């Protein structure tokens, strides 16, 4: 239904049929990267409710665009930690660290149909977090460790 209605995203994509996965993947068959429906996965919710995690690998292998989010709310996911959600996506949902970081940044931007955030390129806002780690994979493999050393918004340093 989300694809039929041209929704920007479909959240809580945990219990999908093969037809659902195919529809989400086929929604991105055009050349415009802003017109498909993003499958938004919310691993903090499954963690908090002890539910089965979504199969991100199935979506990615089919060609769907995936976003990761915290779904921070006081009922089913009371976390705002993206590193925690990235770590769950890698450990429990079949994503590589590269895929999970992309889904948490560029995938999230696509879920909002925005191309001016979520990536670093000329013409984008240059919002970023600088990690005190030798590689971005530490973001996924060191949950709970404060790795962010600097935060930049619109190209200006705003904190640590």
């Amino acid at each position: 239904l989300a694809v039929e209605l041209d929704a920007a995203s479909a959240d809580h994509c945990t219990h999908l049929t093969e037809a659902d996965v195919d529809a989400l993947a086929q929604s991105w068959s055009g050349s415009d990267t802003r017109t498909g429906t993003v499958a938004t996965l919310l691993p903090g919710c499954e963690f908090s409710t002890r539910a089965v995690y979504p199969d991100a690998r199935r979506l990615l292998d089919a060609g769907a665009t995936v976003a990761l989010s915290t779904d921070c709310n006081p009922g089913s996911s009371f976390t705002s930690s993206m590193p925690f959600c990235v770590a769950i996506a890698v450990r429990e949902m079949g994503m590589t660290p590269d895929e999970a970081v992309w889904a948490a940044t560029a995938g999230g931007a696509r879920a909002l149909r925005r191309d001016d955030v979520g990536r670093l390129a000329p013409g984008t806002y240059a919002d970023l977090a600088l990690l005190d780690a030798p590689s971005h994979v530490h973001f996924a493999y060191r949950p709970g460790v404060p790795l962010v050393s600097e935060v930049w918004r619109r190209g200006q340093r705003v904190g640590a």
Side-chain angles (χ1 to χ4, degrees):
L1 182 59
V3 172
E4 286 178 32
L5 296 174
D6 192 33
S9 69
D11 296 355
H12 295 279
C13 290
T14 304
H15 305 286
L16 301 177
T17 66
E18 287 304 317
D20 296 333
V21 173
D22 289 344
L24 286 163
Q26 290 173 13
S27 76
W28 290 95
S29 61
S31 61
D32 188 347
T33 60
R34 293 170 292 165
T35 59
T37 299
V38 174
T40 303
L41 307 179
L42 308 154
C45 184
E46 281 81 20
F47 176 84
S48 296
T49 60
R50 297 181 185 206
V52 174
Y53 291 103
D55 188 352
R57 179 87 271 130
R58 185 173 125 194
L59 286 159
L60 292 166
D61 289 348
T65 297
V66 172
L68 287 176
S69 185
T70 65
D71 191 29
C72 183
N73 74 80
S76 62
S77 181
F78 208 13
T79 183
S80 59
S81 174
M82 281 305 296
F84 178 68
C85 290
V86 166
I88 291 174
V90 171
R91 183 172 187 260
E92 301 291 339
M93 295 167 35
M95 298 180 88
T96 67
D98 287 351
E99 290 167 338
V101 169
W102 189 94
T105 55
R110 283 198 181 170
L112 297 171
R113 292 200 170 141
R114 293 191 56 187
D115 57 11
D116 59 340
V117 295
R119 62 193 178 91
L120 294 177
T124 64
Y125 280 109
D127 296 340
L128 64 101
L130 181 67
L131 302 182
D132 183 14
S135 168
H136 69 283
V137 299
H138 286 251
F139 200 62
Y141 292 139
R142 298 181 65 196
V145 177
L147 297 175
V148 175
S149 63
E150 294 181 23
V151 176
W152 293 69
R153 176 163 287 166
R154 294 187 179 220
Q156 300 293 318
R157 186 169 188 255
V158 294

